[in-house]
Amino acid sequence: MEVKELGHLVLYVRDVGRSSSFYRDVLGWRQILPEPGAPAGMPIAAFSAPSNRTHHELLLIEVGEDAAALPAGRRVGLYHFGLKVGDSDDELREAAQRVRESGTPLLGSSDHTVTHSLYIADPDGNEIELYIDVPGVDWRNDPHLIAAPTKPLRL
């Protein structure tokens, strides 16, 4: 078997409406199911990125407000997922501005040599890395660059 690409993510969320607003209105994903404003037959929402790379890239499944929170600290499981938001620091600055305007807290930022990254969390605490690939860094021919020490990000 050969994996061709990461197809999609499925996240459990407490409130699918609240989470849908975040992924649609803050991060700019295109909601494909249900259509915004349409009644939902099931407590789910599906999204694709504006690139239309595949049929869906994110599926949210509502599990209710009483669902257990993600445990804090070191644990097994998902740490974060990364969303490429462009190819330049200007685009990363625009993403940071949109995040600030939405009231979403910025959890951190890093210069990973190959990427410049901002970290946020969705309404249920799922951590998200918003990043750009740094122009001119040839990680394909020098994969060791991926493990370069993390530095403070200067935007």
Side-chain angles (χ1 to χ4, degrees):
M1 173 175 51
E2 178 185 336
V3 175
K4 305 297 184 195
E5 63 186 31
L6 179 62
H8 61 270
L9 298 170
V10 178
L11 298 175
Y12 289 128
V13 298
R14 288 188 177 91
D15 180 313
V16 74
R18 178 180 61 211
S19 293
S20 292
S21 293
F22 175 81
Y23 285 98
R24 182 185 60 240
D25 303 336
V26 177
L27 297 184
W29 289 49
R30 185 172 61 94
Q31 186 171 343
I32 55 176
L33 289 176
E35 291 184 31
M42 299 180 349
I44 65 165
F47 298 82
S48 68
S51 68
N52 286 319
R53 180 188 62 84
T54 188
H55 40 78
H56 76 287
E57 291 166 307
L58 176 67
L59 179 67
L60 306 176
I61 300 172
E62 183 174 281
V63 292
E65 291 294 341
D66 60 344
L70 293 170
R74 292 172 47 100
R75 65 186 184 282
V76 172
L78 180 70
Y79 168 32
H80 70 262
F81 60 93
L83 300 174
K84 185 175 179 181
V85 297
D87 296 304
S88 70
D89 282 342
D90 285 342
E91 289 168 296
L92 193 58
R93 282 186 205 83
E94 290 172 17
Q97 182 62 30
R98 186 169 182 166
V99 165
R100 278 192 292 277
E101 289 170 358
S102 77
T104 302
L106 184 64
L107 304 177
S109 60
S110 296
D111 178 343
H112 294 291
T113 301
V114 298
T115 66
H116 287 168
S117 304
L118 303 174
Y119 296 89
I120 62 172
D122 76 1
D124 291 292
N126 295 300
E127 192 167 321
I128 303 163
E129 176 184 5
L130 305 175
Y131 74 93
I132 60 106
D133 286 329
V134 176
V137 177
D138 189 5
W139 52 267
R140 283 183 177 91
N141 288 314
D142 187 359
H144 291 96
L145 291 170
I146 296 168
T150 301
K151 303 177 288 283
L153 179 62
R154 301 191 196 297
L155 279 179

